[in-house]
Amino acid sequence: MTSTTTRSRTGTGAGAGAATRGPGLGRKLTRLTVFAVIAAVPPLLFDSYWVFLAAQVVAFAIATLGLDILYGRTGQLSLAHASFMGVGAYTTYTVSSYGYGPAVQLAAVVVVAVVAALVVAVPTLRLSGLRLALVTLAFGELLAWVIRNTTDLTGGTQGASVDPIVIGLLDSSEPVDAYLIALVPAVIATVLAAHLGRTQLGRRMLAVRDTELAAESVGVAVARTKITAFLLSAVYAGVAGWLYAAITGFIAPPDFDLFASVYLFVAVVIGGAGSVLGAWLGAAYIVLVPELFTLAGQPNLYPIVGGALLAIVALVVPDGIVGLGRGIGRRVRRARDGQEETA
Amino acid sequence: MIAAFSAWFLYSEHGLPVPVALILGTLFAVIVNSAIDYAAIRRIPEGRPGLDLVVTLGIFLLITAVMQQLIDANAHTFTSLGADTRTELGGVVVSVNDGVVVVLTAAIILGAYLLLNRTSLGTSLRASAEDAGIAQAAGVNVRALRTATWAAAGVIAAIVAVLVASRLSVDAFYMTPVLIKAFIAGMIGGLDRFWLPLSVAVGLGVYEALAVFLLGSSAGTPAVFLLIIVVLALVPKRFVNERNEVRA
């Protein structure tokens, strides 16, 4: 890939210096305020059902942030991201069935997700592109098969009810509580993902994404970077699965199958790969848009629109909604500057 | 899937004779396949890793959803093409459908081999796949060739879809396992080779059938996917070099 493309996707140049130093205190406070205001909207203004959906958006945002680290920043294609969510959800179900609380559940989810990611990542270090996608697809199908064929342990094709998480006064079976419970790990995940771009690891990931050979030639440990990305992404997905299981209270194999992984991919691409905001927009898309179609009485149209949008966005605006917004912003600024110069 | 679904729709819902419905279904699939190349594949910008897979995934979702919406989500019995006419050959029960599958498969493989290796069109095709820029500079109409390739691939895929449907049934997802296995064979065998992916496909079929025979019907899927992970993890590096990957 050319350096021009690299610049356009990572925002190097003048902007990169700023990105490396990080935003100033003023910008940080502005972002924090905007985030707090948006986060306060669902519990204050919406009814229980929409708060329940908002809680799901928050859970899926963690998953899409994880996939964004793997695909958007490291360029590794995974068709098993929903499977890693499944790993988290079914670990939660198993651990909670023994009566353990959220702290043990979360610890178990992280450990199992890391082990599962290592099982996939280590043997496939040499692979990338379509072949890596194929191996992740194989892993996902294997996991789906294990779930379907271990009815005693996982509930099999019928699915399983998961006990709600109770933290102090908060009970995840209540939509507002579920939303608040989900918000804490989501904020941590978002801050970590946003900060990643300013770390050495984040820059190594971008180098691996843009050209592995060049990255290797300047001393980037490509294999270690890929494995780290895979592990981070799997932990994000596992935590998302943990929250998803606690919020919905029920999990079944179709929630984590190949199509679910593809829809997570749709979310990242439509939102804008390589961007934290894009991952959130993508999560909102895959949770809320099906509901909007259902409200409009056309629930079957969602998969059609999803497929068409994925292809169109990938072709027309490969940087997704965020890229489109940035493009429009640049044009507006350019037009304004032009007007000022003329004046 | 488009070919088989369209053919089924034409003969069962509109009463067209089966051969006419099959031809029209195949033609429709070819048109759609060529249109996919024209509208999407050729417009994928260079230098965006994985974007081609993302676009084709989107088209896959779109086609599956459209088929589900246009017809329904149920499985429909397809014309048997001789699957119910059986005879015994050397102690093995074979149907006319088995014969049709074997003969058509052999004919397609032979035709594709001769086209690629014995005609100037095949040479142009291989040159375009290796380096489209140089092929274009040498006078090959790469764009037209690509669309023709997609059309030819559409014909072959349509024939396969009809053959599979005649042995199973038709629904919006019935070709997904076949697609995944074809993808596996292509990835392991290499998309720029001719005989190796074919051999891998045959080997995969035999291996899956053996796993089902020895371990039961539920063993087929995990056996295949375990094999992929093991093979791709152990295969010599020269087989998994990115330069051997071409757009799927």
Side-chain angles (χ1 to χ4, degrees):
Chain A
M1 182 174 289
T2 63
S3 57
T4 316
T5 319
T6 310
R7 270 198 299 277
S8 68
R9 294 180 70 189
T10 57
T12 50
T20 308
R21 285 192 302 274
L25 186 66
R27 279 184 76 183
K28 270 185 188 167
L29 279 174
T30 312
R31 284 179 187 181
L32 195 69
T33 312
V34 169
F35 185 84
V37 168
I38 293 172
V41 167
L44 293 178
L45 299 181
F46 296 163
D47 64 23
S48 292
Y49 183 66
W50 286 95
V51 176
F52 169 72
L53 291 178
Q56 283 193 51
V57 170
V58 174
F60 273 101
I62 300 176
T64 49
L65 282 166
L67 185 57
D68 188 57
I69 289 172
L70 188 64
Y71 172 69
R73 295 166 193 232
T74 321
Q76 305 299 300
L77 286 166
S78 169
L79 292 177
H81 203 64
S83 307
F84 284 108
M85 265 185 85
V87 166
Y90 278 97
T91 304
T92 304
Y93 165 69
T94 311
V95 174
S96 69
S97 66
Y98 286 104
Y100 290 108
V104 178
Q105 288 173 21
L106 185 58
V109 163
V110 171
V111 170
V112 175
V114 165
V115 171
L118 282 173
V119 167
V120 181
V122 173
T124 55
L125 274 178
R126 323 171 291 158
L127 306 175
S128 52
L130 293 175
R131 286 185 177 86
L132 180 67
L134 180 61
V135 171
T136 55
L137 184 149
F139 170 75
E141 292 295 316
L142 268 177
L143 185 86
W145 180 86
V146 169
I147 293 170
R148 281 197 301 270
N149 288 279
T150 51
T151 307
D152 292 342
L153 190 68
T154 62
T157 51
Q158 298 298 314
S161 295
V162 183
D163 294 334
I165 296 175
V166 180
I167 302 173
L169 296 173
L170 301 176
D171 181 337
S172 70
S173 60
E174 292 295 323
V176 174
D177 291 1
Y179 177 76
L180 294 174
I181 289 172
L183 208 53
V184 176
V187 168
I188 296 169
T190 305
V191 171
L192 285 177
H195 183 67
L196 191 64
R198 291 188 283 276
T199 63
Q200 254 197 20
L201 174 65
R203 284 193 287 271
R204 281 204 299 267
M205 285 174 175
L206 293 176
V208 169
R209 179 193 70 184
D210 289 338
T211 159
E212 269 186 37
L213 202 61
E216 204 170 353
S217 73
V218 293
V220 172
V222 173
R224 201 169 58 196
T225 307
K226 279 187 188 177
I227 287 190
T228 311
F230 222 97
L231 292 182
L232 275 174
S233 152
V235 169
Y236 269 64
V239 173
W242 170 61
L243 289 172
Y244 177 79
I247 292 165
T248 60
F250 185 80
I251 51 174
D255 297 337
F256 313 110
D257 66 3
L258 172 64
F259 282 87
S261 290
V262 172
Y263 278 114
L264 285 174
F265 221 101
V266 172
V268 170
V269 172
I270 286 178
S275 143
V276 167
L277 179 61
W280 274 91
L281 291 173
Y285 168 81
I286 53 170
V287 175
L288 299 179
V289 172
E291 286 303 317
L292 295 177
F293 277 106
T294 307
L295 281 178
Q298 296 289 341
N300 296 331
L301 276 185
Y302 169 65
I304 297 177
V305 172
L309 258 183
L310 180 61
I312 292 168
V313 167
L315 284 170
V316 182
V317 269
D319 294 321
I321 299 171
V322 169
L324 187 67
R326 282 180 188 153
I328 292 171
R330 268 196 301 271
R331 281 186 189 180
V332 169
R333 272 196 302 275
R334 224 175 285 152
R336 211 170 41 201
D337 293 347
Q339 276 178 350
E340 280 171 8
E341 276 172 25
T342 315
Chain B
M1 191 255 284
I2 291 174
F5 234 148
S6 314
W8 171 84
F9 186 70
L10 289 172
Y11 78 72
S12 71
E13 302 290 311
H14 292 281
L16 256 66
V18 172
V20 176
L22 289 176
I23 291 169
L24 288 178
T26 305
L27 271 178
F28 184 51
V30 170
I31 292 167
V32 171
N33 220 34
S34 308
I36 287 171
D37 173 56
Y38 182 77
I41 304 298
R42 67 169 57 176
R43 294 171 205 277
I44 296 173
E46 293 291 332
R48 305 290 301 227
L51 204 62
D52 37 14
L53 182 66
V54 175
V55 172
T56 44
L57 272 176
I59 293 167
F60 167 69
L61 277 183
L62 176 66
I63 290 174
T64 308
V66 166
M67 283 294 151
Q68 243 183 323
Q69 182 76 2
L70 283 181
I71 302 180
D72 55 44
N74 302 321
H76 300 281
T77 312
F78 199 73
T79 182
S80 69
L81 295 178
D84 42 8
T85 312
R86 295 187 176 87
T87 183
E88 202 172 303
L89 276 180
V92 179
V93 177
V94 289
S95 67
V96 172
N97 187 287
D98 294 332
V100 171
V101 169
V102 170
V103 169
L104 267 177
T105 305
I108 289 170
I109 290 173
L110 187 67
Y113 180 78
L114 291 176
L115 173 77
L116 282 172
N117 294 290
R118 296 276 190 274
T119 64
S120 56
L121 183 63
T123 310
S124 304
L125 263 172
R126 284 185 285 133
S128 305
E130 206 162 294
D131 194 320
I134 293 176
Q136 184 91 40
V140 175
N141 187 344
V142 175
R143 284 197 151 201
L145 204 58
R146 275 185 65 149
T147 305
T149 309
W150 275 80
V155 173
I156 296 172
I159 292 170
V160 172
V162 166
L163 292 178
V164 174
S166 72
R167 299 166 77 87
L168 303 171
S169 56
V170 172
D171 63 48
F173 302 100
Y174 87 103
M175 281 301 282
T176 309
V178 181
L179 168 79
I180 291 173
K181 282 165 200 162
F183 187 47
I184 292 166
M187 285 294 108
I188 293 177
L191 289 171
D192 56 349
R193 300 183 183 90
F194 188 84
W195 293 112
L196 196 54
L198 284 175
S199 311
V200 171
V202 173
L204 201 63
V206 173
Y207 166 78
E208 187 181 6
L210 261 177
V212 169
F213 177 72
L214 295 172
L215 305 169
S217 60
S218 66
T221 305
V224 168
F225 290 117
L226 266 179
L227 182 78
I228 300 162
I229 294 173
V230 171
V231 168
L232 283 180
L234 298 179
V235 78
K237 192 163 184 184
R238 64 194 169 92
F239 282 100
V240 292
N241 274 347
E242 286 299 301
R243 63 188 172 85
N244 288 335
E245 241 174 44
V246 289
R247 277 183 176 170

